[in-house]
Amino acid sequence: MVEILRKHNIQFSSFDIFSDEEVRQGLKTFSNWPTYPQLYVSGELIGGLDIIKELEASQELDTICPKAPKLEERLKVLTNKASVMLFMKGNKQEAKCGFSKQILEILNSTSVEFETFDILEDEEVRQGLKVYSNWPTYPQLYVKGELIGGLDIVKELKENGELLPILRGEN
């Protein structure tokens, strides 16, 4: 079942029925389906493995199940999550490396609102963003979805008096 769902890039989560005997037995009654695995979409039972194989063969599976967003789409959404978006090790409250700490101090000194994304929490984003941005290191600062650069670029922009207008979207 998992292999089929992954092959079709279907977004899903799972529950280990061996971890809770009450759920294991109760779900059989609830769904009126005696075996596992069971696939539900939006709370509705679709069926077990045989049904999923039939849906796959008839090419109906892709129309029933939600697709996982492609990484590039996800990165585009993330880089545009806020007008000023910082991808870093750690978050606004606690930087987990010296470079991230320095860039946080610079951004905090500007009083411009910004959001952060902790790349240590999501390996797919951590590796994918390097390719997406064509920038190999972190932190990475984005304004309105466009890469500004890393710590060295941000320091240089601050020294030249160009950082604040960029963060405000004036450039």
Side-chain angles (χ1 to χ4, degrees):
M1 176 85 77
V2 168
E3 187 178 297
I4 292 170
L5 296 175
R6 285 191 176 140
K7 181 168 87 178
H8 288 265
N9 195 32
I10 293 168
Q11 188 170 3
F12 70 95
S13 59
S14 61
F15 178 81
D16 178 2
I17 55 166
F18 291 121
S19 69
D20 190 325
E21 187 63 25
E22 187 178 358
V23 170
R24 181 178 181 188
Q25 297 308 322
L27 201 53
K28 291 178 184 180
T29 306
F30 171 79
S31 62
N32 195 24
W33 197 270
T35 60
Y36 292 101
Q38 296 179 1
L39 181 67
Y40 290 80
V41 175
S42 301
E44 295 290 318
L45 175 68
I46 304 303
L49 184 56
D50 290 343
I51 301 288
I52 300 312
K53 285 180 175 178
E54 288 172 20
L55 289 170
E56 180 185 33
S58 67
Q59 299 182 344
E60 293 175 79
L61 187 63
D62 290 326
T63 60
I64 293 171
C65 297
K67 291 284 195 183
K70 288 190 170 36
L71 179 59
E72 191 167 330
E73 294 167 22
R74 193 168 161 230
L75 294 173
K76 186 173 184 176
V77 168
L78 281 172
T79 56
N80 284 282
K81 186 178 171 195
S83 182
V84 178
M85 192 70 197
L86 178 64
F87 291 82
M88 61 178 284
K89 293 177 180 175
N91 57 42
K92 261 185 181 178
Q93 288 73 38
E94 180 190 10
K96 293 186 178 165
C97 86
F99 298 114
S100 293
K101 185 175 188 232
Q102 288 180 60
I103 204 166
L104 266 184
E105 289 169 356
I106 292 169
L107 289 175
N108 284 331
S109 74
T110 66
S111 300
V112 171
E113 297 239 350
F114 66 96
E115 292 294 321
T116 60
F117 184 93
D118 184 354
I119 57 158
L120 299 176
E121 299 290 318
D122 191 322
E123 189 62 23
E124 185 181 40
V125 169
R126 182 180 183 174
Q127 298 308 323
L129 194 60
K130 292 177 188 180
V131 175
Y132 178 82
S133 64
N134 197 24
W135 195 268
T137 60
Y138 290 99
Q140 291 184 15
L141 181 67
Y142 289 77
V143 174
K144 296 183 179 171
E146 295 291 318
L147 176 68
I148 301 306
L151 177 61
D152 290 344
I153 302 283
V154 170
K155 279 181 174 178
E156 189 178 305
L157 291 170
K158 184 181 182 202
E159 288 167 15
N160 297 343
E162 299 172 58
L163 182 61
L164 208 48
I166 289 172
L167 294 177
R168 290 180 178 151
E170 296 169 4
N171 284 23

